[in-house]
Amino acid sequence: AQLRTDLDLDGEMVVTPPAQPLPDLPSADELIARATTSRPDIDIAENKVRIAEVEVKKQRGFWLPTIRFDGGYIAQKTPFPAANYAYGALRFDVPLFQSGEVIARVAGAKRQEKQAELDLETARLIAREDVRRALADLRSAEIGLQLAGEQLEAAEAEYEQAFELYRAQEATSVDVSASEASLSDARRAVA
């Protein structure tokens, strides 16, 4: 009623079923492939794996020597000892003795990388199981709909029989209202 008021609808609403039924359901393998490529939790886990790989490379980089160049040009207002001069320095840092610090940092980064890979596999497994669970729920819903349709047919037959018995004055109105209640329950179950 609120929707009718909000949309300013007056009169009878006509509901028509869609001209084209639902498209066919893709295969389970295709659904699993779609789920493992389009879920945000899998994208996040893949990004964490890439970040962990970069961290391992960064920590391994501390084993390599570093080369720096420092330079400058100075122009003074006073000409003592010179009005302007330039300097440059080439510096080499070679990591020889680091007491295992780099080894420990690389091991920690590798451990984080392994954990990120395990998290990615867990996310993919969860995605596959979600698809399989949804397919099983769909099958059970289809079976439930089929069963509800059969119950609706049985309730309609029971109602017709009770109504015929009521016309023949062999049943009471309580019997007819009980069969009407079971018929409406069956219709609700189908809906």
Side-chain angles (χ1 to χ4, degrees):
Q2 184 64 38
L3 180 63
R4 284 172 141 320
T5 305
D6 291 341
L7 296 176
D8 194 26
L9 296 175
D10 293 328
E12 188 67 26
M13 292 181 69
V14 179
V15 178
T16 58
Q20 181 180 6
L22 293 175
D24 291 334
L25 188 66
S27 68
D29 294 333
E30 185 179 344
L31 289 173
I32 289 172
R34 285 183 191 176
T36 55
T37 57
S38 64
R39 286 178 56 133
D41 56 341
I42 293 178
D43 291 341
I44 290 170
E46 287 173 348
N47 286 338
K48 286 183 179 179
V49 167
R50 284 194 285 277
I51 289 169
E53 289 171 354
V54 169
E55 183 66 24
V56 168
K57 290 177 184 176
K58 180 181 104 175
Q59 295 303 330
R60 283 186 179 154
F62 286 108
W63 277 325
L64 302 174
T66 56
I67 301 171
R68 292 182 310 200
F69 177 76
D70 296 331
Y73 178 77
I74 298 177
Q76 302 185 88
K77 288 185 178 182
T78 60
F80 179 79
N84 45 10
Y85 62 93
Y87 67 92
L90 189 61
R91 303 177 198 272
F92 294 96
D93 291 331
V94 180
L96 294 176
F97 303 106
Q98 295 181 344
S99 70
E101 177 186 357
V102 174
I103 294 171
R105 288 193 297 192
V106 169
K110 283 184 180 180
R111 188 173 51 249
Q112 289 176 351
E113 180 184 23
K114 183 66 176 171
Q115 182 63 45
E117 289 171 354
L118 291 174
D119 291 344
L120 175 61
E121 286 303 314
T122 302
R124 287 181 178 156
L125 178 66
I126 289 171
R128 286 192 297 268
E129 291 305 314
D130 286 348
V131 169
R132 289 187 181 118
R133 186 180 316 114
L135 288 174
D137 291 344
L138 176 65
R139 286 188 199 105
S140 66
E142 288 172 346
I143 291 169
L145 179 61
Q146 183 181 3
L147 179 62
E150 291 172 1
Q151 288 175 343
L152 177 61
E153 290 174 8
E156 287 173 347
E158 178 188 352
Y159 175 73
E160 290 297 325
Q161 182 182 12
F163 192 70
E164 290 300 321
L165 288 174
Y166 180 73
R167 273 194 208 163
Q169 296 181 352
E170 293 179 11
T172 64
S173 61
V174 173
D175 296 331
V176 174
S177 52
S179 65
E180 282 179 352
S182 66
L183 178 62
S184 63
D185 288 342
R187 285 181 180 156
R188 271 193 296 275
V190 169

